Amino acid sequence: MRQLWDKDEIAELFDLPFMDLVLRASEVHRYYFPANEIQLSQLLSVKTGGCAENCGYCSQSAHFDTGLKASRLMAVDTVLAEAQKAKDSGAQRFCMGAAWRDLKDRDVPALAAMIGGVKAMGLETCATLGMLRPDQAVALKEAGLDYYNHNLDTSPEYYDQVVTTRTYQERLDTLQAVADAGMKTCCGGIMGMGESRADRVSFLHQLAALPVPPDSIPINNLVAVAGTPLGDKVAREGGISGLEFVRTIAAARIVCPRSMVRLSAGRTEMSEELQALCFLAGANSIFVGDTLLTTPNPQPGTDAHMMRELGLRPMTM
């Protein structure tokens, strides 16, 4: 039976002694998932830069000068070749991201061909393409899309410090359209943007209180991109501590016990030891490959070494 969490209960999780919180999260994780298994995902930017949104962390926003050159939607054959390379390198899940405010109908046929082609390779499919209408969500589902990613980013209370060109409700509406179409939802956020612990509590409360809890929760540690307001802020003032980040992973695992918890952006700044704590606290997926959309990601050899050292293995799909 699903437990409905209130904010006070989630705040109490964060206030637990660190070891007690991680132990509890680890026990929840091992109840719902095999121990020591990690899903390996790869993310490709199929359309980069020039986004009309003003998300204060994002190198792809047209509002900020980050030196990133905008590009058009990649050709279907090019995307499928990249997906095959990802599979050959061990990826089990292939995600396609486009820097759009919302999906345009003219792009649906090309995206459907990409999704269908990736699905035919035996890879789990995911896409993040901005806001969707219900009929567009149905079209992506029919093309073979397993997951649709649409992050809440942060709490409702801190949201206007992150982005003002899209409302929180619009994000919730897209998630509802995805769920109504029968797709799995991938929805998470970014830690270390200057938010408080209360904001992290409120963010997790939002996820846990969704009509259908996310099947996948990416937890990102902000990559401070020069030229973005939040990147410059964190460069000046500092971000989230490693242990607080682990607390957030652990709390996410406990309040959404059946969800995949994805240790996402920011791993290049994390030691193997810190990542190990994240896995102990319930994270069970990482992104592999050299880049994560436009930000750096650990090299394949680095991740292979870490998995050997920790005794981790690719998840049985």
Side-chain angles (χ1 to χ4, degrees):
M1 185 181 212
R2 179 183 173 189
Q3 179 175 349
L4 298 178
W5 293 82
D6 63 34
K7 287 185 183 179
D8 288 342
E9 291 170 326
I10 298 173
E12 288 171 3
L13 291 177
F14 273 87
D15 289 338
L16 285 172
F18 181 81
M19 301 300 185
D20 293 352
L21 173 59
V22 171
L23 176 60
R24 180 170 169 184
S26 184
E27 289 171 342
V28 170
H29 177 212
R30 287 169 180 247
Y31 182 83
Y32 288 98
F33 292 94
N36 302 313
E37 287 194 357
I38 301 293
Q39 189 186 51
L40 305 178
S41 306
Q42 192 149 338
L43 174 58
L44 176 68
S45 180
V46 299
K47 190 278 173 189
T48 302
C51 183
E53 303 280 15
N54 67 351
C55 304
Y57 53 80
C58 188
S59 63
Q60 302 194 68
S61 172
H63 293 256
F64 316 128
D65 182 10
T66 63
L68 186 73
K69 185 178 179 181
S71 66
R72 296 180 180 275
L73 183 66
M74 292 172 68
V76 173
D77 289 348
T78 304
V79 172
L80 296 184
E82 291 296 322
Q84 186 63 56
K85 283 195 272 186
K87 181 179 180 181
D88 293 343
S89 297
Q92 301 167 301
R93 183 175 192 261
F94 192 73
C95 310
M96 293 155 277
W100 288 324
R101 171 176 167 76
D102 49 15
L103 177 59
K104 300 296 188 291
D105 289 339
R106 64 175 181 266
D107 293 309
V108 171
L111 290 162
M114 294 175 194
I115 292 163
V118 173
K119 184 77 170 176
M121 295 177 192
L123 290 165
E124 194 171 83
T125 56
C126 181
T128 179
L129 312 166
M131 293 184 288
L132 294 182
R133 300 193 313 267
D135 60 302
Q136 292 173 327
V138 169
L140 295 178
K141 167 66 174 176
E142 291 176 347
L145 192 62
D146 297 310
Y147 285 83
Y148 193 80
N149 167 260
H150 201 65
N151 289 338
L152 292 180
D153 284 351
T154 190
S155 68
E157 296 82 4
Y158 194 68
Y159 185 75
D160 64 0
Q161 301 299 306
V162 176
V163 55
T164 59
T165 51
R166 184 190 311 184
T167 67
Y168 213 78
Q169 186 59 50
E170 285 175 317
R171 292 180 183 267
L172 295 171
D173 290 345
T174 289
L175 291 171
Q176 189 62 55
V178 169
D180 289 346
M183 276 187 288
K184 295 179 180 179
T185 54
C186 178
C187 181
I190 306 172
M191 306 302 111
M193 296 191 293
E195 79 284 350
S196 65
R197 177 180 283 188
D199 289 311
R200 293 187 280 277
V201 167
S202 179
F203 157 72
L204 291 179
H205 178 256
Q206 286 289 315
L207 294 184
L210 288 170
V212 179
D215 301 278
S216 165
I217 302 175
I219 303 292
N220 301 274
N221 196 357
L222 179 70
V223 177
V225 176
T228 61
L230 290 172
D232 293 343
K233 172 185 173 67
V234 168
R236 292 190 309 268
E237 301 174 8
I240 188 173
S241 74
L243 294 184
E244 184 70 10
F245 186 84
V246 176
R247 284 184 182 275
T248 307
I249 293 280
R253 167 54 64 214
I254 293 167
V255 302
C256 294
R258 296 176 178 83
S259 304
M260 296 291 294
V261 176
R262 304 188 185 278
L263 180 58
S264 301
R267 288 200 302 118
T268 54
E269 304 301 318
M270 297 182 190
S271 66
E272 283 190 351
E273 293 82 0
L274 179 56
Q275 292 180 73
L277 282 173
C278 291
F279 299 135
L280 184 62
N284 58 346
S285 177
I286 58 172
F287 285 97
V288 295
D290 296 339
T291 58
L292 197 60
L293 291 179
T294 64
T295 57
N297 202 47
Q299 295 293 307
T302 303
D303 280 336
H305 176 270
M306 176 181 70
M307 290 186 70
R308 284 194 305 270
E309 286 288 296
L310 299 180
L312 300 175
R313 59 186 179 272
M315 183 172 286
T316 303
M317 300 296 291

